[in-house]
Coordinates of all heavy atoms in Angstrom, one line a residue:
M813 N -0.1 12.8 0.5 CA -0.1 11.3 0.2 C 1.2 11.0 -0.5 O 1.6 11.6 -1.4 CB -1.3 11.0 -0.6 CG -2.6 11.2 0.0 SD -3.0 10.0 1.3 CE -3.5 8.6 0.3
K814 N 1.8 9.9 -0.1 CA 3.0 9.3 -0.7 C 2.6 7.9 -1.2 O 1.6 7.3 -0.7 CB 4.1 9.1 0.3 CG 4.5 10.4 1.0 CD 5.1 11.4 0.0 CE 5.6 12.6 0.8 NZ 5.9 13.7 0.0
Y815 N 3.3 7.4 -2.2 CA 3.0 6.1 -2.7 C 4.3 5.4 -3.2 O 5.3 6.0 -3.5 CB 2.0 6.1 -3.8 CG 2.4 6.7 -5.1 CD1 3.1 5.9 -6.1 CD2 2.1 8.0 -5.4 CE1 3.4 6.4 -7.3 CE2 2.5 8.5 -6.6 CZ 3.1 7.7 -7.6 OH 3.5 8.3 -8.8
V816 N 4.2 4.1 -3.2 CA 5.3 3.2 -3.8 C 4.6 2.5 -4.9 O 3.4 2.1 -4.8 CB 5.9 2.3 -2.8 CG1 4.9 1.3 -2.2 CG2 7.1 1.6 -3.4
E817 N 5.3 2.3 -6.1 CA 4.6 1.7 -7.2 C 5.4 0.5 -7.7 O 6.7 0.6 -7.7 CB 4.5 2.7 -8.4 CG 3.9 2.2 -9.6 CD 3.7 3.3 -10.7 OE1 3.1 4.3 -10.4 OE2 4.2 3.0 -11.8
L818 N 4.7 -0.5 -8.1 CA 5.3 -1.7 -8.6 C 4.9 -1.9 -10.1 O 3.7 -1.7 -10.4 CB 4.9 -3.0 -7.9 CG 5.2 -3.1 -6.4 CD1 4.5 -4.3 -5.8 CD2 6.7 -3.1 -6.2
D819 N 5.8 -2.2 -11.0 CA 5.6 -2.5 -12.4 C 6.0 -4.0 -12.6 O 7.2 -4.3 -12.5 CB 6.3 -1.6 -13.3 CG 6.1 -1.9 -14.8 OD1 5.5 -2.9 -15.1 OD2 6.6 -1.1 -15.6
F820 N 5.0 -4.8 -12.9 CA 5.3 -6.3 -13.0 C 5.9 -6.6 -14.5 O 6.3 -7.7 -14.7 CB 4.1 -7.1 -12.8 CG 3.6 -7.0 -11.3 CD1 2.5 -6.3 -11.0 CD2 4.4 -7.6 -10.3 CE1 2.1 -6.2 -9.7 CE2 4.0 -7.5 -9.0 CZ 2.8 -6.8 -8.7
G821 N 5.8 -5.6 -15.4 CA 6.4 -5.8 -16.7 C 5.4 -6.4 -17.7 O 5.6 -6.3 -18.9
A822 N 4.3 -7.0 -17.2 CA 3.2 -7.6 -18.0 C 2.1 -7.8 -17.0 O 2.2 -7.7 -15.8 CB 3.7 -8.9 -18.5
E823 N 0.9 -8.0 -17.6 CA -0.3 -8.3 -16.8 C -0.1 -9.6 -16.0 O 0.3 -10.6 -16.6 CB -1.5 -8.3 -17.7 CG -1.9 -7.0 -18.3 CD -3.1 -7.1 -19.2 OE1 -3.9 -8.1 -19.1 OE2 -3.3 -6.1 -19.9
V824 N -0.4 -9.6 -14.7 CA -0.3 -10.7 -13.9 C -1.5 -10.8 -12.9 O -2.1 -9.7 -12.6 CB 1.0 -10.8 -13.0 CG1 2.2 -10.9 -13.9 CG2 1.1 -9.6 -12.1
Y825 N -1.8 -12.0 -12.5 CA -2.9 -12.1 -11.5 C -2.2 -11.9 -10.1 O -1.3 -12.6 -9.8 CB -3.6 -13.4 -11.6 CG -4.7 -13.6 -10.5 CD1 -5.9 -13.0 -10.7 CD2 -4.4 -14.3 -9.3 CE1 -6.9 -13.1 -9.7 CE2 -5.4 -14.4 -8.4 CZ -6.6 -13.8 -8.6 OH -7.6 -13.9 -7.6
V826 N -2.7 -11.0 -9.3 CA -2.2 -10.7 -7.9 C -3.3 -11.2 -6.9 O -4.4 -10.6 -6.9 CB -1.9 -9.3 -7.7 CG1 -1.3 -9.0 -6.3 CG2 -0.8 -8.8 -8.8
S827 N -3.0 -12.2 -6.2 CA -4.0 -12.7 -5.2 C -3.9 -11.8 -3.9 O -5.0 -11.5 -3.3 CB -3.7 -14.1 -4.9 OG -2.4 -14.3 -4.3
S828 N -2.7 -11.4 -3.5 CA -2.6 -10.6 -2.3 C -1.3 -9.9 -2.3 O -0.4 -10.2 -3.0 CB -2.7 -11.5 -1.0 OG -1.7 -12.5 -1.0
V829 N -1.2 -8.9 -1.4 CA 0.0 -8.1 -1.2 C 0.2 -7.9 0.3 O -0.7 -7.7 1.0 CB -0.1 -6.7 -1.9 CG1 1.1 -5.8 -1.5 CG2 -0.3 -6.8 -3.4
R830 N 1.5 -8.1 0.7 CA 1.9 -7.8 2.1 C 2.9 -6.6 2.1 O 3.8 -6.6 1.3 CB 2.5 -9.0 2.8 CG 2.8 -8.7 4.3 CD 3.4 -9.9 5.0 NE 2.5 -11.1 4.9 CZ 1.6 -11.4 5.9 NH1 1.4 -10.6 6.9 NH2 0.9 -12.5 5.7
K831 N 2.6 -5.6 2.9 CA 3.5 -4.5 3.0 C 3.9 -4.3 4.5 O 3.2 -4.6 5.4 CB 3.0 -3.2 2.4 CG 1.7 -2.7 3.1 CD 2.0 -1.6 4.1 CE 0.7 -1.2 4.7 NZ 0.9 -0.7 6.1
W832 N 5.1 -3.7 4.6 CA 5.7 -3.4 5.9 C 6.0 -1.9 5.9 O 6.6 -1.4 5.0 CB 6.9 -4.1 6.2 CG 6.7 -5.6 6.6 CD1 6.6 -6.1 7.8 CD2 6.6 -6.7 5.7 NE1 6.4 -7.4 7.8 CE2 6.4 -7.8 6.4 CE3 6.6 -6.8 4.3 CZ2 6.2 -9.1 5.9 CZ3 6.4 -8.0 3.7 CH2 6.3 -9.2 4.5
M833 N 5.6 -1.2 7.0 CA 6.0 0.2 7.2 C 6.7 0.3 8.5 O 6.7 -0.7 9.3 CB 4.8 1.1 7.1 CG 4.1 1.0 5.7 SD 2.7 2.0 5.6 CE 3.4 3.6 5.1
Y834 N 7.4 1.4 8.8 CA 8.0 1.5 10.1 C 7.0 1.2 11.2 O 5.9 1.8 11.2 CB 8.6 3.0 10.2 CG 9.3 3.1 11.6 CD1 10.6 2.7 11.7 CD2 8.7 3.7 12.6 CE1 11.3 2.8 12.9 CE2 9.3 3.8 13.9 CZ 10.6 3.4 14.0 OH 11.3 3.5 15.2
H835 N 7.4 0.3 12.1 CA 6.4 -0.2 13.1 C 6.9 -0.3 14.5 O 6.2 -0.7 15.4 CB 5.9 -1.5 12.6 CG 7.1 -2.5 12.6 ND1 7.8 -2.7 11.4 CD2 7.6 -3.4 13.5 CE1 8.7 -3.6 11.6 NE2 8.6 -4.0 12.9
C836 N 8.2 0.1 14.8 CA 8.8 -0.2 16.1 C 8.0 0.4 17.2 O 8.1 -0.1 18.4 CB 10.2 0.3 16.1 SG 11.3 -0.8 15.0
D837 N 7.3 1.5 17.0 CA 6.6 2.1 18.1 C 5.1 1.9 18.0 O 4.3 2.6 18.6 CB 6.9 3.6 18.2 CG 6.7 4.4 16.9 OD1 6.2 3.8 15.9 OD2 7.0 5.6 16.8
G838 N 4.7 1.0 17.1 CA 3.2 0.7 16.9 C 2.4 1.8 16.3 O 1.2 1.9 16.6
R839 N 3.0 2.6 15.5 CA 2.3 3.8 15.0 C 1.2 3.4 14.0 O 1.3 2.3 13.4 CB 3.2 4.8 14.3 CG 4.0 4.3 13.2 CD 5.0 5.4 12.7 NE 6.0 5.7 13.7 CZ 6.9 6.6 13.6 NH1 6.9 7.4 12.5 NH2 7.8 6.8 14.5
T840 N 0.2 4.2 13.8 CA -0.9 4.0 12.9 C -0.7 4.9 11.7 O -0.4 6.1 11.9 CB -2.2 4.3 13.6 OG1 -2.4 3.5 14.7 CG2 -3.4 4.2 12.7
Y841 N -0.9 4.4 10.5 CA -0.8 5.2 9.3 C -2.3 5.3 8.8 O -3.1 4.4 8.9 CB 0.0 4.4 8.2 CG 1.5 4.5 8.5 CD1 2.1 3.6 9.4 CD2 2.3 5.5 7.9 CE1 3.4 3.7 9.6 CE2 3.6 5.5 8.1 CZ 4.2 4.7 9.0 OH 5.6 4.7 9.3
Y842 N -2.5 6.5 8.3 CA -3.9 6.9 7.9 C -4.0 7.0 6.4 O -3.0 7.2 5.7 CB -4.3 8.2 8.5 CG -4.2 8.2 10.0 CD1 -3.1 8.9 10.7 CD2 -5.1 7.6 10.8 CE1 -3.0 8.8 12.0 CE2 -5.0 7.5 12.2 CZ -4.0 8.2 12.8 OH -3.9 8.1 14.2
C843 N -5.3 6.9 5.9 CA -5.6 7.1 4.5 C -4.8 6.2 3.6 O -4.2 6.7 2.6 CB -5.4 8.6 4.1 SG -6.4 9.7 5.1
Q844 N -4.8 4.9 3.8 CA -4.0 4.0 2.9 C -5.0 3.4 1.9 O -6.1 3.2 2.1 CB -3.4 2.9 3.8 CG -2.4 3.4 4.7 CD -1.7 2.2 5.4 OE1 -1.1 1.4 4.7 NE2 -1.7 2.1 6.7
S845 N -4.4 3.2 0.7 CA -5.1 2.6 -0.4 C -4.2 1.9 -1.3 O -3.0 2.2 -1.5 CB -6.0 3.6 -1.1 OG -5.2 4.6 -1.7
L846 N -4.7 0.8 -2.0 CA -4.0 0.1 -3.0 C -4.7 0.2 -4.3 O -5.9 -0.1 -4.3 CB -3.8 -1.4 -2.5 CG -3.1 -2.3 -3.4 CD1 -1.6 -1.9 -3.5 CD2 -3.2 -3.7 -2.9
L847 N -4.0 0.6 -5.3 CA -4.7 0.8 -6.6 C -4.0 0.0 -7.7 O -2.7 -0.2 -7.6 CB -4.6 2.3 -7.1 CG -5.6 3.3 -6.4 CD1 -5.2 3.5 -5.0 CD2 -5.7 4.5 -7.2
G848 N -4.7 -0.5 -8.6 CA -4.2 -1.3 -9.7 C -4.4 -0.7 -11.0 O -5.4 0.0 -11.2
S849 N -3.6 -1.0 -12.0 CA -3.7 -0.4 -13.4 C -3.2 -1.4 -14.4 O -2.1 -2.0 -14.1 CB -3.0 0.9 -13.5 OG -3.0 1.4 -14.8
L850 N -3.8 -1.5 -15.5 CA -3.3 -2.3 -16.6 C -2.4 -1.5 -17.5 O -1.5 -2.1 -18.2 CB -4.5 -2.9 -17.4 CG -5.4 -3.9 -16.7 CD1 -6.6 -4.3 -17.5 CD2 -4.6 -5.1 -16.3
D851 N -2.6 -0.2 -17.6 CA -1.8 0.7 -18.5 C -1.0 1.8 -17.9 O -0.3 2.5 -18.6 CB -2.8 1.3 -19.5 CG -3.9 2.2 -18.9 OD1 -3.8 2.4 -17.7 OD2 -4.8 2.6 -19.6
G852 N -1.1 1.9 -16.6 CA -0.3 3.0 -15.9 C -1.0 4.4 -16.0 O -0.5 5.3 -15.4
A853 N -2.1 4.4 -16.6 CA -2.8 5.7 -16.8 C -4.2 5.7 -16.1 O -4.6 6.7 -15.4 CB -3.0 6.0 -18.2
S854 N -4.9 4.6 -16.1 CA -6.2 4.5 -15.5 C -6.1 3.6 -14.3 O -5.6 2.4 -14.4 CB -7.2 3.9 -16.5 OG -8.5 3.7 -16.0
W855 N -6.5 4.1 -13.1 CA -6.3 3.3 -11.9 C -7.6 3.0 -11.2 O -8.5 3.8 -11.2 CB -5.4 4.2 -10.9 CG -4.1 4.4 -11.4 CD1 -3.7 5.4 -12.3 CD2 -2.9 3.6 -11.2 NE1 -2.3 5.3 -12.6 CE2 -1.9 4.2 -11.9 CE3 -2.7 2.5 -10.4 CZ2 -0.6 3.7 -11.9 CZ3 -1.4 2.0 -10.4 CH2 -0.4 2.5 -11.2
T856 N -7.6 1.8 -10.6 CA -8.8 1.3 -9.9 C -8.4 0.9 -8.5 O -7.4 0.3 -8.2 CB -9.4 0.0 -10.6 OG1 -9.7 0.3 -11.9 CG2 -10.6 -0.5 -9.9
T857 N -9.2 1.4 -7.5 CA -8.9 1.1 -6.1 C -9.3 -0.4 -5.8 O -10.4 -0.8 -6.1 CB -9.7 2.0 -5.1 OG1 -9.3 3.4 -5.4 CG2 -9.4 1.7 -3.7
V858 N -8.3 -1.2 -5.3 CA -8.6 -2.6 -5.0 C -8.7 -2.8 -3.5 O -9.2 -3.8 -3.1 CB -7.6 -3.5 -5.6 CG1 -7.6 -3.5 -7.2 CG2 -6.2 -3.2 -5.2
W859 N -8.3 -1.8 -2.7 CA -8.4 -1.9 -1.3 C -8.2 -0.5 -0.7 O -7.4 0.3 -1.2 CB -7.3 -2.8 -0.7 CG -7.3 -2.9 0.8 CD1 -8.1 -3.7 1.6 CD2 -6.6 -2.0 1.7 NE1 -7.8 -3.4 2.9 CE2 -6.9 -2.4 3.0 CE3 -5.7 -1.0 1.5 CZ2 -6.3 -1.8 4.1 CZ3 -5.1 -0.4 2.6 CH2 -5.4 -0.8 3.9
S860 N -8.9 -0.2 0.4 CA -8.8 1.1 1.0 C -9.0 1.0 2.5 O -9.9 0.2 3.0 CB -9.8 2.1 0.4 OG -9.8 3.3 1.2
S861 N -8.2 1.7 3.3 CA -8.4 1.7 4.8 C -9.7 2.5 5.1 O -10.1 2.3 6.3 CB -7.2 2.4 5.5 OG -7.0 3.7 5.2
A862 N -10.3 3.2 4.2 CA -11.5 3.8 4.5 C -12.6 2.8 4.8 O -13.5 3.0 5.6 CB -12.0 4.7 3.3
S863 N -12.5 1.6 4.1 CA -13.5 0.6 4.4 C -12.9 -0.5 5.4 O -13.7 -1.1 6.1 CB -13.9 -0.1 3.1 OG -12.7 -0.7 2.4
A864 N -11.6 -0.6 5.4 CA -11.0 -1.6 6.3 C -10.6 -1.1 7.7 O -10.3 -1.8 8.6 CB -9.7 -2.2 5.6
G865 N -10.5 0.2 7.8 CA -10.0 0.8 9.1 C -8.5 1.2 9.0 O -7.8 0.6 8.2
D866 N -8.1 2.2 9.8 CA -6.7 2.5 9.9 C -5.9 1.4 10.5 O -6.4 0.6 11.2 CB -6.5 3.8 10.7 CG -7.1 5.0 10.0 OD1 -7.0 5.1 8.7 OD2 -7.8 5.8 10.7
I867 N -4.7 1.3 10.1 CA -3.8 0.1 10.4 C -2.8 0.5 11.4 O -1.9 1.4 11.2 CB -3.2 -0.4 9.1 CG1 -4.2 -0.9 8.2 CG2 -2.2 -1.5 9.5 CD1 -3.7 -1.2 6.8
V868 N -2.7 -0.2 12.5 CA -1.6 -0.1 13.5 C -0.5 -1.1 13.0 O -0.8 -2.3 12.8 CB -2.1 -0.5 14.9 CG1 -0.9 -0.5 15.9 CG2 -3.2 0.4 15.4
E869 N 0.6 -0.5 12.6 CA 1.7 -1.3 12.0 C 2.3 -2.2 13.1 O 2.4 -2.0 14.2 CB 2.8 -0.4 11.4 CG 2.2 0.5 10.3 CD 1.7 -0.3 9.1 OE1 2.3 -1.4 8.8 OE2 0.8 0.1 8.5
S870 N 2.8 -3.4 12.5 CA 3.4 -4.4 13.4 C 4.5 -5.1 12.5 O 4.6 -4.9 11.3 CB 2.4 -5.4 13.9 OG 2.0 -6.3 12.8
A871 N 5.3 -5.9 13.2 CA 6.4 -6.7 12.5 C 5.8 -7.7 11.5 O 6.5 -8.1 10.6 CB 7.2 -7.4 13.6
A872 N 4.5 -8.1 11.7 CA 3.9 -9.0 10.8 C 3.5 -8.4 9.4 O 3.2 -9.0 8.5 CB 2.6 -9.6 11.4
G873 N 3.5 -7.0 9.4 CA 3.1 -6.3 8.2 C 1.6 -6.3 8.0 O 0.9 -6.7 8.9
T874 N 1.1 -5.9 6.9 CA -0.3 -5.9 6.6 C -0.5 -6.7 5.3 O 0.1 -6.4 4.2 CB -0.7 -4.4 6.3 OG1 -0.5 -3.7 7.5 CG2 -2.2 -4.4 6.1
L875 N -1.4 -7.7 5.4 CA -1.8 -8.5 4.2 C -3.1 -8.0 3.7 O -4.1 -7.9 4.4 CB -1.8 -10.0 4.6 CG -2.2 -11.0 3.5 CD1 -1.1 -11.0 2.4 CD2 -2.4 -12.3 4.1
V876 N -3.1 -7.8 2.4 CA -4.3 -7.3 1.7 C -4.7 -8.2 0.6 O -3.8 -8.5 -0.2 CB -4.1 -5.8 1.2 CG1 -5.3 -5.4 0.3 CG2 -4.0 -4.9 2.3
T877 N -5.9 -8.7 0.5 CA -6.4 -9.5 -0.6 C -6.7 -8.6 -1.8 O -7.4 -7.6 -1.7 CB -7.6 -10.3 -0.2 OG1 -7.3 -11.1 0.9 CG2 -8.1 -11.1 -1.4
V878 N -6.1 -8.9 -3.0 CA -6.3 -8.2 -4.2 C -7.3 -8.9 -5.1 O -8.3 -8.4 -5.5 CB -5.0 -7.9 -4.9 CG1 -5.2 -7.1 -6.2 CG2 -4.0 -7.1 -4.0
G879 N -6.9 -10.1 -5.5 CA -7.7 -10.9 -6.4 C -8.1 -10.2 -7.7 O -9.2 -10.2 -8.2
A880 N -7.0 -9.7 -8.4 CA -7.3 -9.0 -9.7 C -6.0 -9.1 -10.6 O -4.9 -9.4 -10.1 CB -7.5 -7.5 -9.4
T881 N -6.3 -9.0 -11.9 CA -5.2 -9.0 -12.9 C -4.8 -7.5 -13.1 O -5.6 -6.6 -13.3 CB -5.7 -9.6 -14.2 OG1 -6.0 -11.0 -14.0 CG2 -4.6 -9.5 -15.3
T882 N -3.5 -7.3 -13.0 CA -3.0 -5.9 -13.1 C -1.5 -5.9 -13.6 O -0.9 -7.0 -13.6 CB -3.1 -5.2 -11.7 OG1 -2.8 -3.8 -11.9 CG2 -2.1 -5.8 -10.7
R883 N -1.1 -4.8 -14.1 CA 0.4 -4.7 -14.4 C 1.1 -3.9 -13.4 O 2.2 -4.1 -13.0 CB 0.6 -4.1 -15.8 CG 2.0 -3.9 -16.1 CD 2.4 -3.4 -17.4 NE 3.8 -3.0 -17.4 CZ 4.5 -2.7 -18.5 NH1 3.9 -2.7 -19.7 NH2 5.7 -2.4 -18.4
Y884 N 0.4 -2.8 -12.9 CA 0.9 -1.9 -11.9 C 0.1 -1.9 -10.7 O -1.1 -2.1 -10.7 CB 0.9 -0.4 -12.5 CG 1.6 -0.2 -13.8 CD1 0.9 -0.3 -15.0 CD2 2.9 0.1 -13.8 CE1 1.5 -0.1 -16.2 CE2 3.6 0.3 -15.1 CZ 2.8 0.2 -16.2 OH 3.5 0.4 -17.4
L885 N 0.8 -1.7 -9.5 CA 0.2 -1.5 -8.2 C 0.8 -0.3 -7.6 O 2.0 -0.1 -7.7 CB 0.4 -2.7 -7.3 CG -0.4 -4.0 -7.5 CD1 0.0 -5.1 -6.5 CD2 -1.9 -3.7 -7.3
R886 N -0.1 0.5 -7.0 CA 0.4 1.6 -6.1 C -0.2 1.5 -4.8 O -1.4 1.3 -4.6 CB -0.1 3.0 -6.7 CG 0.7 3.5 -7.9 CD 0.3 4.8 -8.3 NE 1.0 5.3 -9.5 CZ 0.7 6.4 -10.2 NH1 -0.3 7.1 -9.8 NH2 1.4 6.7 -11.2
W887 N 0.6 1.6 -3.8 CA 0.2 1.7 -2.4 C 0.4 3.1 -1.9 O 1.5 3.6 -1.8 CB 0.9 0.7 -1.5 CG 0.3 0.5 -0.2 CD1 0.0 1.5 0.8 CD2 -0.3 -0.7 0.4 NE1 -0.7 0.9 1.8 CE2 -0.9 -0.4 1.6 CE3 -0.3 -2.0 -0.1 CZ2 -1.5 -1.4 2.4 CZ3 -0.9 -3.0 0.7 CH2 -1.5 -2.6 1.9
Y888 N -0.8 3.7 -1.6 CA -0.8 5.1 -1.1 C -0.9 5.1 0.4 O -1.5 4.2 1.0 CB -1.9 5.9 -1.6 CG -1.8 6.4 -3.1 CD1 -2.2 5.6 -4.1 CD2 -1.3 7.6 -3.3 CE1 -2.0 6.0 -5.4 CE2 -1.2 8.1 -4.6 CZ -1.5 7.2 -5.7 OH -1.4 7.7 -7.0
S889 N -0.2 6.1 1.1 CA -0.4 6.2 2.5 C -0.3 7.7 2.9 O 0.5 8.4 2.3 CB 0.7 5.5 3.3 OG 0.5 5.6 4.7
G890 N -1.1 8.1 3.8 CA -1.1 9.4 4.4 C -0.1 9.4 5.6 O 0.6 8.4 5.8
R891 N -0.2 10.4 6.4 CA 0.7 10.6 7.5 C 0.5 9.5 8.6 O -0.5 8.7 8.4 CB 0.5 11.9 8.2 CG -0.9 12.1 8.8 CD -1.1 13.4 9.6 NE -2.3 13.3 10.3 CZ -2.4 12.8 11.5 NH1 -1.4 12.2 12.1 NH2 -3.5 12.8 12.2
N892 N 1.3 9.4 9.6 CA 1.1 8.5 10.7 C 0.8 9.3 12.0 O 0.9 10.5 12.0 CB 2.3 7.5 10.8 CG 3.6 8.3 11.2 OD1 3.7 8.8 12.3 ND2 4.5 8.4 10.3
D893 N 0.5 8.6 13.0 CA 0.1 9.3 14.3 C 1.3 9.9 15.0 O 1.2 10.6 16.0 CB -0.7 8.4 15.2 CG 0.0 7.2 15.6 OD1 1.1 6.9 15.1 OD2 -0.6 6.5 16.4
A894 N 2.6 9.7 14.5 CA 3.7 10.2 15.2 C 4.4 11.4 14.4 O 5.1 12.2 15.0 CB 4.8 9.1 15.4
S895 N 4.1 11.5 13.1 CA 4.6 12.6 12.3 C 3.9 12.6 11.0 O 3.0 11.8 10.7 CB 6.1 12.3 12.0 OG 6.3 11.3 11.1
N896 N 4.2 13.6 10.2 CA 3.6 13.7 8.8 C 4.4 12.8 7.8 O 4.0 12.8 6.6 CB 3.6 15.1 8.4 CG 2.6 16.0 9.1 OD1 1.6 15.5 9.5 ND2 3.0 17.2 9.3
A897 N 5.4 12.1 8.2 CA 6.2 11.3 7.3 C 5.5 9.9 7.0 O 4.7 9.5 7.7 CB 7.6 11.1 7.9
V898 N 6.0 9.3 5.9 CA 5.5 8.0 5.5 C 6.8 7.2 5.3 O 7.7 7.6 4.6 CB 4.7 8.0 4.2 CG1 4.3 6.6 3.8 CG2 3.4 8.9 4.4
Y899 N 6.8 6.0 6.0 CA 8.0 5.2 5.9 C 7.7 3.8 5.4 O 7.4 2.9 6.2 CB 8.6 5.0 7.3 CG 9.0 6.3 8.0 CD1 8.2 6.9 8.9 CD2 10.2 7.0 7.6 CE1 8.5 8.1 9.5 CE2 10.5 8.2 8.2 CZ 9.7 8.8 9.2 OH 10.0 9.9 9.7
F900 N 7.8 3.6 4.1 CA 7.6 2.2 3.5 C 8.9 1.5 3.7 O 10.0 2.0 3.5 CB 7.3 2.3 2.0 CG 5.9 2.8 1.7 CD1 5.7 4.1 1.3 CD2 4.8 1.9 1.7 CE1 4.4 4.5 0.9 CE2 3.6 2.3 1.4 CZ 3.4 3.6 1.0
L901 N 8.8 0.2 4.2 CA 10.0 -0.6 4.3 C 10.0 -1.7 3.2 O 11.1 -1.9 2.7 CB 10.0 -1.3 5.7 CG 10.0 -0.3 6.9 CD1 10.0 -1.1 8.2 CD2 11.2 0.6 6.9
E902 N 8.9 -2.3 3.0 CA 8.9 -3.4 2.0 C 7.5 -3.6 1.5 O 6.5 -3.4 2.2 CB 9.4 -4.7 2.6 CG 9.6 -5.8 1.6 CD 10.3 -7.0 2.3 OE1 10.9 -6.9 3.4 OE2 10.2 -8.1 1.7
L903 N 7.4 -4.0 0.2 CA 6.1 -4.3 -0.4 C 6.2 -5.5 -1.2 O 7.2 -5.7 -1.9 CB 5.6 -3.1 -1.3 CG 4.3 -3.2 -2.0 CD1 3.1 -3.3 -0.9 CD2 4.0 -2.1 -2.9

């Protein structure tokens, strides 16, 4: 599992997050999840592909509703259906 982490510098309310991963060949990424933390030590899952389903990437990206106050966000992703690599483009 690989992840990208955001630190907002202070607690903020996050309504949603959109992320883009390599998508030119329509690949699917597995085992994705978004976790939030107020202190960077204790993490809570705010979204998971286990409940939402695996995501076929596209130029539109993936929009996830968060609806929580957090300081840190981590987006985790497992491999994709073309390789074991993970290619985050933007969060």
Side-chain angles (χ1 to χ4, degrees):
M813 296 285 284
K814 305 291 184 192
Y815 69 86
V816 63
E817 182 176 306
L818 299 175
D819 178 353
F820 296 109
E823 293 180 12
V824 296
Y825 179 79
V826 178
S827 60
S828 61
V829 173
R830 184 179 301 269
K831 64 93 180 152
W832 286 264
M833 297 178 86
Y834 182 81
H835 60 272
C836 292
D837 55 4
R839 64 185 62 189
T840 299
Y841 286 81
Y842 302 104
C843 303
Q844 296 189 57
S845 58
L846 182 64
L847 284 71
S849 175
L850 295 174
D851 60 8
S854 177
W855 295 87
T856 302
T857 300
V858 295
W859 176 88
S860 172
S861 64
S863 59
D866 292 318
I867 298 168
V868 177
E869 297 299 326
S870 73
T874 301
L875 181 65
V876 170
T877 300
V878 176
T881 298
T882 190
R883 175 175 171 172
Y884 303 92
L885 280 177
R886 280 185 183 170
W887 194 300
Y888 283 86
S889 181
R891 67 173 191 84
N892 64 72
D893 61 353
S895 72
N896 288 326
V898 176
Y899 303 98
F900 287 100
L901 299 179
E902 186 174 344
L903 182 62

